[in-house]
């Protein structure tokens, strides 16, 4: 655990130190991002913060490669090189989009290429962790891997609409996923606790924590497309890599890890972004628009329009993310008969907080009538 905490600290310091540099570079290269109709901030703010996040992750991987404890992760260099190449593509696509505002189909082609790099580096969805269903067809493995990578990157991108929202939700999700991956590694091998997914989530957690002080309301810089895409890339790769541990884990009968966790936790981590993405696609196609067109109908927009301040809306979505992600992880450590009622009460309380502005207006309307 100490090694992972060290890597979290390395990524955090690197991201925190590099973000102001990228803010100055962003102002010089592209100026401040112009305001759009759907934006909630009132002053133009530079982008390119995602470059610092990507750089912090790469620096963290470089440090990790020199640590003996993690040599098992680097024995086969293909997955690590695949992540590095994919991160380079994310950086190029993201920066180009932040500067020139690429058409959606150019970004989709680039994201598909990122997914193909991941798949051909050996990181593929080879098994579904439900009933030990193995995917034997190589082409199907590649297609599913690319789909998951592209889906996750776009889900994170859709939720990146308020100061600190995407970075904070990513940090919460990464921390929950890290805990699960670390427990998984200890369950599989009591002598070797190195794990590819745990490493990726530790670096993502550190990079997001280092970026967040610069990005929380009032933000001084945005992560831009490269930041949202690198978060989605790391989340999807970690989720796919977990499936590679299924056979080894089966022999241990999941000891402390419930059998449904490998598929449930990745979904829980990106549940809110995924729900927002699905609702946006339904909303836009129902009105005859492209699902990739922008609007002001996202969950965070609804909270702000409903009466919450930016900070309140972000903190409320942090709460939901933590409840879902950590609620799922908690099943590894607590009796479900105790946990389910506790989670039910917490979810009801969170729902009440979420609906409070609308409930207050409804009560006020009744009193006036």
């Amino acid at each position: 655990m100490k090694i992972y905490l060290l890597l979290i600290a390395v990524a955090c310091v690197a991201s925190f130190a590099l973000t102001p540099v990228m803010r100055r570079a962003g102002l010089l290269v592209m100026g401040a991002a112009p305001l759009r109709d759907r934006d909630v901030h009132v002053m133009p703010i530079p982008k390119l913060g995602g470059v610092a996040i990507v750089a912090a992750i790469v620096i963290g991987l470089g440090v990790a490669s020199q640590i003996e404890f993690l040599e098992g992760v680097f024995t086969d260099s293909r997955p690590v090189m695949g992540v590095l190449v994919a991160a380079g593509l994310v950086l190029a696509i993201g920066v180009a989009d932040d500067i020139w505002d690429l058409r959606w189909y150019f970004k989709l082609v680039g994201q598909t290429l990122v997914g193909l790099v991941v798949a051909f580096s050996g990181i593929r969805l080879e098994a579904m962790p439900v009933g030990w269903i193995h995917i034997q067809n190589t082409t199907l493995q590649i297609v599913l891997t690319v789909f998951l990578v592209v889906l996750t990157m776009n889900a994170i991108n859709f939720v990146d609409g308020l100061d600190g929202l995407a970075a904070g939700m990513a940090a919460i999700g990464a921390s929950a996923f890290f805990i699960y991956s670390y427990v998984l590694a200890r369950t599989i091998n009591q002598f070797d606790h190195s794990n590819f997914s745990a490493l990726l989530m530790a670096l993502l957690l550190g990079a997001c924590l280092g970026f967040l002080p610069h990005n929380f309301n009032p933000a001084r810089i945005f992560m831009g497309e490269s930041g949202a895409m690198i978060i989605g890339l790391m989340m999807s790769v970690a989720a796919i890599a977990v499936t590679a541990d299924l056979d080894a884990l089966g022999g241990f009968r999941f000891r402390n890890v419930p059998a449904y966790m490998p598929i449930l936790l990745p979904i829980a981590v990106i549940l809110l972004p995924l729900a927002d993405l699905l609702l946006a696609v339904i909303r836009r196609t129902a009105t005859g628009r492209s699902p990739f067109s922008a609007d002001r109908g996202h969950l965070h927009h609804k909270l702000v329009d409903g009466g919450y301040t930016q900070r309140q809306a972000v903190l409320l979505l942090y709460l939901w993310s933590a409840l879902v992600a950590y609620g799922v992880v908690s099943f590894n450590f607590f009796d479900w008969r105790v946990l389910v009622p506790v989670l039910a009460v917490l979810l009801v309380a969170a729902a009440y907080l979420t609906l409070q502005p609308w409930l207050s207006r409804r009560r006020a309307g009744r009193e006036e009538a």
Side-chain angles (χ1 to χ4, degrees):
M1 177 62 80
K2 291 180 180 179
I3 297 299
Y4 289 118
L5 293 177
L6 171 64
L7 291 172
I8 292 172
V10 167
C12 181
V13 171
S15 179
F16 183 81
L18 290 172
T19 299
V21 177
M22 294 315 305
R23 182 179 186 275
R24 289 192 290 271
L27 289 172
L28 288 173
V29 173
M30 55 185 294
L35 295 177
R36 301 162 298 185
D37 292 338
R38 67 182 185 275
D39 289 332
V40 295
H41 56 282
V42 296
M43 294 293 293
I45 298 173
K47 296 183 181 181
L48 299 184
V51 177
I53 297 176
V54 174
I57 291 172
V58 172
I59 291 171
L61 280 173
V63 173
S65 67
Q66 303 303 310
I67 299 177
E68 184 179 357
F69 172 80
L70 294 169
E71 64 181 9
V73 173
F74 294 90
T75 300
D76 183 359
S77 62
R78 289 190 310 145
V80 177
M81 288 303 301
V83 169
L84 288 173
V85 173
L89 286 172
V90 161
L91 196 59
I93 299 165
V95 171
D97 182 65
D98 290 338
I99 295 175
W100 296 298
D101 195 17
L102 301 177
R103 298 278 187 177
W104 67 265
Y105 42 82
F106 287 124
K107 288 191 288 186
L108 183 59
V109 170
Q111 291 170 347
T112 302
L113 183 58
V114 170
L116 287 171
V117 168
V118 169
F120 282 101
S121 67
I123 306 170
R124 298 178 188 171
L125 194 62
E126 299 180 356
M128 296 298 292
V130 177
W132 310 110
I133 301 174
H134 286 263
I135 303 170
Q136 304 293 344
N137 187 280
T138 302
T139 301
L140 182 58
Q141 291 176 3
I142 295 172
V143 170
L144 291 175
T145 298
V146 172
F147 174 76
L148 183 59
V149 170
V150 173
L151 178 68
T152 310
M153 287 194 292
N154 280 287
I156 300 298
N157 189 33
F158 271 49
V159 83
D160 182 26
L162 294 179
D163 296 354
L165 180 56
M169 290 179 65
I172 292 169
S175 62
F177 210 150
F178 167 74
I179 291 172
Y180 164 71
S181 300
Y182 182 72
V183 171
L184 181 66
R186 290 175 61 91
T187 302
I188 293 174
N189 191 331
Q190 60 180 322
F191 303 108
D192 182 9
H193 299 165
S194 63
N195 182 274
F196 190 43
S197 295
L199 172 60
L200 294 183
M201 290 299 95
L203 296 178
L204 180 60
L205 172 59
C208 288
L209 289 178
F211 176 72
L212 198 53
H214 304 284
N215 182 238
F216 196 73
N217 183 263
R220 296 183 294 279
I221 186 173
F222 292 147
M223 67 169 58
E225 193 77 13
S226 57
M229 287 175 62
I230 193 63
I231 291 172
L233 172 66
M234 298 290 280
M235 289 284 190
S236 58
V237 168
I240 294 167
V242 162
T243 64
D245 297 322
L246 294 178
D247 284 335
L249 192 57
F252 286 80
R253 299 186 180 276
F254 285 94
R255 292 181 183 173
N256 301 317
V257 185
Y260 53 77
M261 200 60 63
I263 191 169
L264 185 57
L265 182 58
I267 294 173
V269 166
I270 63 166
L271 182 62
L272 287 183
L274 203 58
D276 198 23
L277 172 63
L278 179 61
L279 290 173
V281 171
I282 294 173
R283 181 176 65 251
R284 292 166 186 172
T285 53
T287 56
R289 291 182 298 145
S290 166
F292 295 95
S293 62
D295 61 17
R296 194 184 162 84
H298 294 289
L299 296 176
H300 49 271
H301 289 139
K302 294 297 184 182
L303 290 174
V304 173
D305 293 342
Y308 282 108
T309 65
Q310 275 202 60
R311 285 193 175 194
Q312 289 171 338
V314 168
L315 292 174
L316 188 59
L317 289 170
Y318 284 178
L319 173 62
W320 277 105
S321 297
L323 281 177
V324 174
Y326 278 98
V328 172
V329 170
S330 297
F331 283 96
N332 290 304
F333 307 102
F334 302 102
D335 189 327
W336 69 270
R337 289 165 293 190
V338 176
L339 192 58
V340 168
V342 172
L343 287 176
V345 171
L346 292 175
L347 289 172
V348 169
Y352 177 78
L353 285 175
T354 304
L355 299 173
Q356 183 60 33
W358 290 273
L359 295 174
S360 297
R361 285 198 295 272
R362 186 174 180 180
R363 284 196 298 266
R366 287 179 177 176
E367 291 174 358
E368 291 177 1

